[in-house]
């Protein structure tokens, strides 16, 4: 089902519930290069036959400038030019690298995504922020530039490891915390297994979460206000993700736990226990004894920093978040308590 979304900078076509095979109707094979990783390629080899494909090693550790150079060299070897479309088929690492490379190759070529993980379907593939890490610093270079299309083939999730399902639910729980109390309550009554066994319920949940993200980005594509709310759990989350090389979902789960503590101290938020319980219910770690000094050092270089403050996302109640500038010293004092 096609849904055309107008963002402030571009029009994006979302093909929900659409078979991967339809890709050849969206882009001409001879002018397209697919970027994927070895996990996705290994599980879906037949789907890639007859396409030009660049296969990367999997994982966040490869989301860096040296991979970008490597991809660009392979694109040149495959004859890429300004008319080439780059299609990222994979999770958030692949969609990030794809969008970034497409944004800078020959000063910009068109690109599309086929997200293959829940996390990418509900979050990473939507919104146009694409970039790579620089050492410990997550997404330190990048751009905001929209893909031409996204194709959602839910059957690709059949081969997704449970660990990746858990990661994806971190972003779904995040959406419920900041925007949708009703979904929070529904999630409390379910577990991952329910969605693994019920493709219709899963498709509905993914679509609902994609719609939440789309709506926020439509309102504020360049993150001047509303879009900042999507960073709930991501300030501490991003700082510890590369420091400890933990999965993104785990990192932001821990970040959401911390953000609840800060919300309670600053804002009188009273529902921390419910949030922590829901994270646990979906296999996510709500707490972690991280090295405060090392984490605060990374925070000092966070993109959300303004002088000696960081724009922290707090909950007023489940379903309602706010942006709250907070000094690093105050933040550290609350977290250390
Ligand atoms: N690529 C994720 C976002 O734009 O938020």
């Amino acid at each position: 089902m096609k849904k055309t979304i107008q963002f402030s900078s571009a029009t994006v076509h979302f093909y929900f519930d659409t078979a991967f095979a339809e890709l050849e109707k969206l882009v001409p094979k001879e002018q397209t290069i697919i970027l994927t990783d070895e996990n996705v390629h290994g599980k879906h080899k037949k789907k890639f036959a007859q396409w030009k494909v660049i296969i990367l090693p999997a994982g966040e550790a490869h989301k860096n400038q040296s991979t970008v150079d490597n991809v660009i060299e392979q694109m040149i070897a495959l004859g890429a030019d300004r008319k080439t479309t780059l299609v990222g088929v994979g999770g958030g690492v692949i969609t990030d690298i794809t969008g970034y490379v497409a944004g800078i190759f020959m000063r910009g070529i068109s690109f599309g995504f086929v997200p293959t993980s829940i996390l990418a379907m509900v979050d990473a593939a939507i919104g146009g922020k694409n970039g790579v890490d620089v050492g410990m610093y997550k997404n330190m270079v990048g751009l905001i530039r929209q893909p031409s299309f996204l194709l959602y083939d839910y059957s690709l999730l059949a081969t997704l490891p449970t660990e990746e399902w858990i990661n994806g639910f971190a972003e779904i729980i995040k959406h419920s915390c900041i925007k949708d109390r009703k979904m929070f309550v529904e999630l409390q009554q379910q577990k991952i297994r329910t969605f693994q066994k019920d493709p219709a319920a899963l498709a509905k949940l993914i679509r609902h979460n994609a719609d939440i993200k789309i709506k926020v980005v439509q309102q504020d594509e360049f993150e001047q206000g509303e879009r900042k709310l999507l960073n709930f759990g991501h300030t501490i989350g991003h700082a510890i993700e590369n420091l400890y090389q933990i999965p993104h979902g785990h990192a932001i789960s821990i970040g959401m736990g911390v953000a609840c503590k800060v919300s309670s101290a600053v804002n009188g938020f009273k529902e921390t226990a419910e949030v922590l319980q829901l994270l646990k219910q979906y296999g996510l770690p709500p707490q972690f004894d991280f090295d405060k000094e090392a984490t605060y050092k990374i925070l000092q270089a966070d993109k959300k920093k303004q002088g000696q403050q960081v724009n922290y996302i707090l909950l007023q109640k489940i379903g309602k978040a706010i942006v709250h500038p907070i000094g690093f010293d105050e933040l550290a004092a609350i977290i250390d308590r």
Side-chain angles (χ1 to χ4, degrees):
M1 188 240 286
K2 181 177 173 184
K3 190 169 176 195
T4 299
I5 301 291
Q6 187 64 51
F7 293 111
S8 52
S9 74
T11 304
V12 180
H13 303 295
F14 284 75
Y15 296 89
F16 291 108
D17 210 355
T18 299
F20 182 89
E22 300 288 305
L23 183 62
E24 64 183 20
K25 295 187 188 147
L26 307 185
V27 280
K29 272 194 177 138
E30 61 286 358
Q31 282 182 346
T32 299
I33 295 175
I34 289 181
L35 188 62
T36 190
D37 70 30
E38 54 199 9
N39 289 345
V40 174
H41 187 260
K43 283 174 188 147
H44 303 282
K45 267 199 183 86
K46 280 193 188 144
K47 289 189 165 61
F48 295 101
Q50 293 161 18
W51 290 93
K52 291 183 203 167
V53 186
I54 296 173
I55 306 166
L56 299 179
E60 183 80 23
H62 302 282
K63 203 179 93 174
N64 55 33
Q65 195 62 44
S66 116
T67 301
V68 169
D69 289 351
N70 174 295
V71 170
I72 290 173
E73 278 164 24
Q74 293 198 57
M75 288 172 69
I76 293 166
L78 287 168
D81 60 22
R82 287 195 172 126
K83 292 251 160 38
T84 299
T85 299
L86 194 61
V87 178
V89 181
V93 171
I94 287 295
T95 57
D96 261 17
I97 297 172
T98 301
Y100 181 53
V101 168
I104 58 174
F105 181 75
M106 295 191 175
R107 300 201 186 91
I109 58 170
S110 71
F111 67 110
F113 292 146
V114 181
T116 60
S117 69
I118 293 176
L119 193 144
M121 288 185 184
V122 301
D123 182 38
I126 305 169
K129 281 194 205 172
N130 298 121
V132 296
D133 305 341
V134 176
M136 292 291 165
Y137 303 104
K138 280 272 300 176
N139 304 334
M140 189 46 87
V141 293
L143 29 80
I144 300 182
R145 186 167 176 266
Q146 300 299 335
S148 306
F149 68 87
L150 291 89
L151 185 155
Y152 284 67
D153 180 346
Y154 304 121
S155 75
L156 294 167
L157 297 173
T159 56
L160 192 69
T162 295
E163 191 49 44
E164 287 305 326
W165 282 75
I166 293 173
N167 268 321
F169 271 83
E171 297 290 357
I172 290 173
I173 292 172
K174 178 195 80 178
H175 283 160
S176 75
C177 286
I178 61 168
K179 283 279 163 198
D180 194 337
R181 186 178 191 95
K182 183 164 167 275
M183 177 165 68
F184 188 97
V185 173
E186 282 163 10
L187 289 170
Q188 283 179 311
Q189 290 152 12
Q190 309 294 347
K191 50 187 182 219
I192 286 194
R193 194 84 197 104
T194 326
F195 295 102
Q196 286 177 321
K197 286 192 309 198
D198 185 345
L202 177 66
K204 195 167 159 228
L205 185 74
I206 290 174
R207 179 63 201 273
H208 181 65
N209 278 273
D211 284 344
I212 290 176
K213 174 96 188 243
I214 289 168
K215 203 165 155 210
V216 172
V217 177
Q218 270 185 309
Q219 284 169 9
D220 175 27
E221 186 175 355
F222 294 97
E223 201 166 307
Q224 299 304 302
E226 179 78 0
R227 187 170 180 170
K228 292 185 206 287
L229 301 181
L230 294 170
N231 294 328
F232 177 60
H234 283 61
T235 305
I236 292 293
H238 273 173
I240 61 173
E241 182 173 344
N242 286 1
L243 188 59
Y244 291 98
Q245 297 185 351
I246 48 179
H248 181 70
H250 286 222
I252 67 149
S253 173
I254 295 158
M256 287 191 273
V258 173
C260 283
K261 186 174 177 180
V262 181
S263 303
S264 146
V266 173
N267 228 6
F269 175 62
K270 293 190 177 57
E271 297 171 300
T272 298
E274 285 84 345
V275 176
L276 300 189
Q277 172 53 36
L278 189 64
L279 292 168
K280 268 195 256 170
Q281 192 173 318
Y282 283 82
L284 289 157
Q287 275 148 339
F288 178 64
D289 191 15
F290 52 88
D291 178 334
K292 308 283 188 309
E293 286 300 312
T295 303
Y296 299 151
K297 194 163 162 248
I298 295 175
L299 269 191
Q300 293 282 344
D302 192 285
K303 296 188 291 303
K304 298 175 279 301
K305 177 182 135 159
Q306 280 176 342
Q308 274 315 296
Q309 291 194 317
V310 64
N311 281 321
Y312 215 81
I313 310 309
L314 304 181
L315 296 183
Q316 287 185 319
K317 57 184 183 182
I318 289 168
K320 174 88 183 104
I322 55 161
V323 183
H324 180 86
I326 186 165
F328 284 109
D329 292 345
E330 187 189 354
L331 184 63
I334 295 169
I335 295 174
D336 289 347
R337 238 177 252 162

